[in-house]
Amino acid sequence: MADSTCALPGLDPAPADSVAASRVAGYEIEDELRAAPSGRGRPIRIAGVDEVGRGAWAGPVVVCAAVTDLSPPPVLQGRGKRVIGLTDSKLLTEDHRESFAEVLPGWLAGHAVAASGPEEIDEVGMTEALRRAAVRALESLPVPPDVVILDGKHDFLSRPWRVRCEVKADQRSVTVAAASVLAKVHRDRLMAELDGVHPGYGFADSAGYPSPTHQKALEEFGPTPHHRMSWSYLDDLPRWRHLKKHRDPMAGEGQLSLL
């Protein structure tokens, strides 16, 4: 957690036993942040940030930053009288994600999506690539947020952003859940387009993540321009292992060599 959290009460994560059992996101975290005195003389502006694509072999890592007006979030009508609430994109079906992605932009007070591509990931490493994508998204919002809610334990943003990290924030924070859905849908659509350009790798189904189809195509055809060439999957591909890129730890971040 960055030192800047001390300047804004409410940034410490909630105790583990206080996490709600419900998987439908609410305003639990946002309400805690709003209740803490900010000294700004106006309501605090909160952005939720989530990413997708961190563990993929191919494609970009995509980050969405979202801001709500704290109004009730949209819901979907399921079978019978069932109501589908906004939550972590991984807990929603593809159809539900697509439906939420259609209505969320009109409901949110602001949102922005940004990415770091394979070349940037290879050049600077995933942590820095993720930070860059998140900063791009945050800086593209209509108004800069006062605090950012990140899903997970680690603050990959740090200064000058005031950050609150929360495990399963995408199941507890409407703001992060919205970012989760929009990032996931954006990246899935992008990978589906790449599937048409590079058929056989299963990009439309696996979105660039490991799968038997993906592994088989790599063994036969090798990596595409959209693959991450510093990733360890290349160690298991004798025909293509020579293409792997290596960052030189002695040369500093961003230095690449072919070994």
Side-chain angles (χ1 to χ4, degrees), residues 127-146:
T127 300
E128 174 61 15
L130 182 59
R131 187 194 70 81
R132 291 184 181 187
V135 169
R136 289 171 190 143
L138 288 165
E139 290 181 343
S140 297
L141 290 173
V143 180
D146 298 312

Side-chain angles (χ1 to χ4, degrees), residues 15-66:
D17 58 4
S18 71
V19 176
S22 173
R23 290 187 171 189
V24 176
Y27 281 119
E28 170 191 350
I29 302 172
E30 290 87 343
D31 287 344
E32 291 178 9
L33 291 169
R34 291 173 65 229
S38 67
R40 284 169 170 75
R42 58 167 172 76
I44 188 173
R45 291 190 291 261
I46 302 169
V49 166
D50 205 3
E51 55 79 21
V52 64
R54 190 185 308 205
W57 289 350
V61 60
V62 172
V63 176
C64 180

Side-chain angles (χ1 to χ4, degrees), residues 53-256:
R54 190 185 308 205
W57 289 350
V61 60
V62 172
V63 176
C64 180
V67 179
T68 78
D69 62 1
L70 302 178
S71 62
V75 297
L76 305 177
Q77 292 300 317
R79 294 180 179 178
K81 296 184 179 180
R82 184 186 176 204
V83 174
I84 309 299
L86 185 59
T87 188
D88 174 10
S89 63
K90 297 185 292 296
L91 300 179
L92 298 169
T93 66
E94 181 180 358
D95 287 344
H96 290 155
R97 288 195 298 267
E98 290 283 350
S99 296
F100 271 122
E102 292 299 317
V103 298
L104 284 172
W107 171 72
L108 289 167
H111 78 285
V113 176
S116 286
E119 290 187 0
E120 186 170 31
I121 293 170
D122 288 335
E123 180 183 358
V124 301
M126 177 52 72
T127 300
E128 174 61 15
L130 182 59
R131 187 194 70 81
R132 291 184 181 187
V135 169
R136 289 171 190 143
L138 288 165
E139 290 181 343
S140 297
L141 290 173
V143 180
D146 298 312
V147 61
V148 177
I149 304 174
L150 288 183
D151 182 33
K153 296 180 179 180
H154 305 294
D155 176 7
F156 56 80
L157 270 174
S158 193
R159 294 178 177 175
W161 305 95
R162 291 186 171 94
V163 174
R164 172 155 167 177
C165 297
E166 284 285 354
V167 175
K168 297 189 182 300
D170 46 12
Q171 296 180 31
R172 301 169 52 213
S173 162
V174 167
T175 314
V176 178
S180 170
V181 169
L182 292 174
K184 172 69 172 167
V185 171
H186 178 92
R187 189 177 186 280
D188 282 355
R189 290 173 179 174
L190 174 62
M191 297 307 295
E193 292 177 3
L194 291 181
D195 188 80
V197 181
H198 301 281
Y201 290 83
F203 288 160
D205 297 322
S206 67
Y209 281 84
S211 72
T213 298
H214 195 171
Q215 177 77 20
K216 183 178 179 180
L218 280 167
E219 291 172 352
E220 185 172 356
F221 305 114
T224 72
H226 305 284
H227 277 88
R228 302 168 187 181
M229 301 303 294
S230 59
W231 248 226
S232 62
Y233 70 85
L234 280 166
D235 295 334
D236 299 322
L237 301 172
R239 289 179 61 192
W240 313 104
R241 191 180 298 152
H242 66 285
L243 298 176
K244 186 176 180 181
K245 295 180 179 180
H246 301 262
R247 279 185 300 279
D248 183 353
M250 301 301 294
E253 196 80 40
Q255 298 297 316
L256 280 170

